[in-house]
Structure formats: structure tokens, C-alpha cells
Amino acid sequence: MNKTAIRTLQQYLAESGDYTGAIDGLRGPKTRAAVDAAMKRHVDKLPSGSDAWSERRLAVACLQLACHEKRIEVGAIDGLWGPQTDYAHEVLDTLLETGKKPPLWRDQQPLDANPNGWCHEAELEQTLGSPSRKPPLVVVPCPWPLALAWDPSTRPSGIGCHEQVAESLSRVLERVHDHYGNERLRELGLHLYGGCYNKRRKRGGSSWSTHAWGVAIDWDPARNRLKWGRDRARLARPEYEDWWRFWEEEGWVSLGRHRNFDWMHVQAARL
Ligand SMILES: [Zn+2]
């Protein structure tokens, strides 16, 4: 727990009336007493065994409770500082500072354009044929170096997709590349390619996945897991706003942006 986090915690404790000391980012006796007082009111939300937690762990748990109280998705109150707590803390910090949660990632609406006339995903079979037969695939070269997400030593030269979406995909990739450049794309994890064509059913469903037609692409799957929402998924962050705009200008649909799950996935089919 760094100084900023302790300061956020003190601010919250001051607001709730448990703390009257200085907001100095130091975990001194007054802060500890305030944490104890606050935690006593929330014993019901703590797992068994929490009475044996260290002072530091209790302080982290208290910050998690603060997030929880402010309706910031923070996950289990476990007193452990993982990526979700880290992000929730940032949101809480902004909220206490400005009275508002950080705007971009909640307020951004997906663009509702469809210049290529992509069909509804339920009409894919009718439009492109049954995926039981392999669709006509072409490889669209990627202007920046890709690495296979689950085997980064493999460097695909391009993306094998349905021929119907190839030109559009190529335009998106060009725009993305012009905008971000190789180095930034790598920093953002957008060199991690998670696959396109894959003859399979939807995960946890019986209908065909849009991947079975080669009209969907996954990016950086490890940091954008299927069930993760915008509180955890990397691709939900503001620095990816332009990335999504390039896809959406071509009518591609992000499940994350529309449904807040499967942020790795983008498809050339309407929902
Ligand atoms: Zn996918």
C-alpha cells in the first residue's frame, strides 16, 4: 500500500467521521485506530479468519470496503492488493478528489455506424452459409508485428479472416497503425493476437461462435478475459478509445463496449 493509497484511505475515514488526523499518507496510530473503528461496523462483510489479519492487510480491506460502499467494483474483501483493488483504488481516489468517478471509461458510448452493412449475428448462417463448411478465408497482412497470444514466439504475418470482411479489416489495421505506431501498439498489448477463424460454438452456449465464420478477432486474451468487465479488462481503459473508434467506424462491434464482457473480442456482425 503506497502513500497515495493511504491518503485515499485517510480521506475516506475522515469523511466517515472515524479519522481526525492529517491526510499525510502515513499509517500512524490515528489511522490504525480509525481503520479499526470502521472495520468494526463492517464485520459482517469480512471472511472468517480476518481477525488474524495484519494491520496492513486490514488497511487494504478497509480501502476495499470503501470502494464497495461507493459502488466501485472491487471484488472480494480479502485485504490483498491485486490488480482489481489497484484499479478500484484509482477510481475511489478520483471520486474523493473530484466528487465524480473518472469519466471516460464509463461515459464513452460505442459508435453506431455500419458502412459495410454487416448483418446481425443471428443472420450469419443465412448470409455466409453454414460454418460446417470451411468459409473462404484470406490472410490480411498486419502492418505491425503480431505475436500469438498463447505462444508469443510464433509471429503470424497476418489475420486469416472471411474474404467478405478482409478489405474492411485491412482499413482498420492501417488506421490503427498510423495512429499508434509499432511501439505504442506493443505497449498496449495490441500485438498479442488471440485468433480469428475458429470452427467452434460459443463458449457456454450452443450456437456457432462468430469465429466459426472468420468474422471475429480476439486481442490480448490474458488481460481481457471472457468474464471480466470494464473494471478489470485492459481494453476498457481510456487509452483504447481510439482503437475502438477505428473498428466502430467500419461497423465492427466490441462485445465489451456493448455488453461489458469478452473485451478481447471484436466482430463484423451486429448484436
Ligand atoms: Zn472472440
Side-chain angles (χ1 to χ4, degrees):
M1 217 178 173
N2 62 23
K3 252 184 144 173
T4 317
I6 295 167
R7 208 176 288 128
T8 310
L9 178 64
Q10 289 171 331
Q11 234 170 318
Y12 162 75
L13 291 167
E15 204 183 74
S16 64
D18 291 304
Y19 184 68
T20 51
I23 311 292
D24 56 6
L26 302 171
R27 202 151 43 81
K30 278 190 178 173
T31 308
R32 287 200 286 272
V35 167
D36 282 344
M39 297 305 271
K40 282 210 179 84
R41 289 200 303 274
H42 295 289
V43 188
D44 53 315
K45 295 193 190 79
L46 298 173
S48 60
S50 61
D51 45 338
W53 285 355
S54 67
E55 277 174 8
R56 181 188 181 277
R57 192 165 173 185
L58 280 170
V60 174
C62 189
L63 194 66
Q64 291 172 330
L65 279 168
C67 293
H68 185 77
E69 207 167 87
K70 304 277 183 190
R71 301 180 181 282
I72 299 165
E73 291 173 78
V74 70
I77 310 295
D78 57 8
L80 301 175
W81 193 278
Q84 193 168 3
T85 301
D86 194 50
Y87 191 66
H89 155 253
E90 274 176 43
V91 177
L92 178 66
D93 189 38
T94 310
L95 181 65
L96 294 178
E97 286 290 322
T98 68
K100 280 188 212 148
K101 290 179 188 174
L104 278 165
W105 57 275
R106 271 188 199 274
D107 294 350
Q108 283 295 340
Q109 290 298 316
L111 208 75
D112 195 25
N114 191 11
N116 300 298
W118 304 139
C119 69
H120 192 276
E121 63 173 26
E123 298 158 352
L124 277 169
E125 183 144 3
Q126 209 180 323
T127 315
L128 301 177
S130 166
S132 52
R133 278 185 43 207
K134 195 173 180 181
L137 299 173
V138 292
V139 175
V140 172
C142 187
W144 67 91
L146 294 178
L148 215 51
W150 55 89
D151 176 19
S153 63
T154 302
R155 308 285 165 87
S157 61
I159 296 174
C161 66
H162 197 290
E163 60 181 18
Q164 293 254 14
V165 304
E167 275 180 36
S168 168
L169 173 59
S170 171
R171 285 191 294 269
V172 176
L173 298 178
E174 289 296 335
R175 282 172 199 155
V176 165
H177 184 242
D178 285 351
H179 180 76
Y180 289 106
N182 290 0
E183 203 180 317
R184 184 69 181 137
L185 284 163
R186 204 183 155 79
E187 271 170 25
L188 291 170
L190 294 172
H191 63 302
L192 296 168
Y193 169 62
C196 178
Y197 173 68
N198 186 355
K199 187 181 168 184
R200 65 169 172 83
R201 307 273 170 178
K202 279 188 177 166
R203 296 191 193 96
S206 60
S207 55
W208 287 105
S209 157
T210 47
H211 286 283
W213 286 276
V215 300
I217 306 167
D218 291 337
W219 298 94
D220 194 5
R223 284 180 291 198
N224 297 281
R225 307 231 168 134
L226 184 65
K227 291 184 180 167
W228 286 6
R230 52 173 61 82
D231 56 319
R232 296 182 82 181
R234 260 256 196 142
L235 282 160
R237 295 185 182 177
E239 57 265 40
Y240 296 89
E241 193 53 44
D242 293 320
W243 160 261
W244 290 123
R245 186 165 50 80
F246 294 123
W247 290 100
E248 287 167 359
E249 280 172 356
E250 283 282 331
W252 292 65
V253 174
S254 150
L255 284 181
R257 303 251 293 173
H258 284 264
R259 300 269 164 89
N260 198 24
F261 74 100
D262 204 1
W263 279 89
M264 72 179 87
H265 179 102
V266 64
Q267 64 181 41
R270 315 301 287 172
L271 291 173

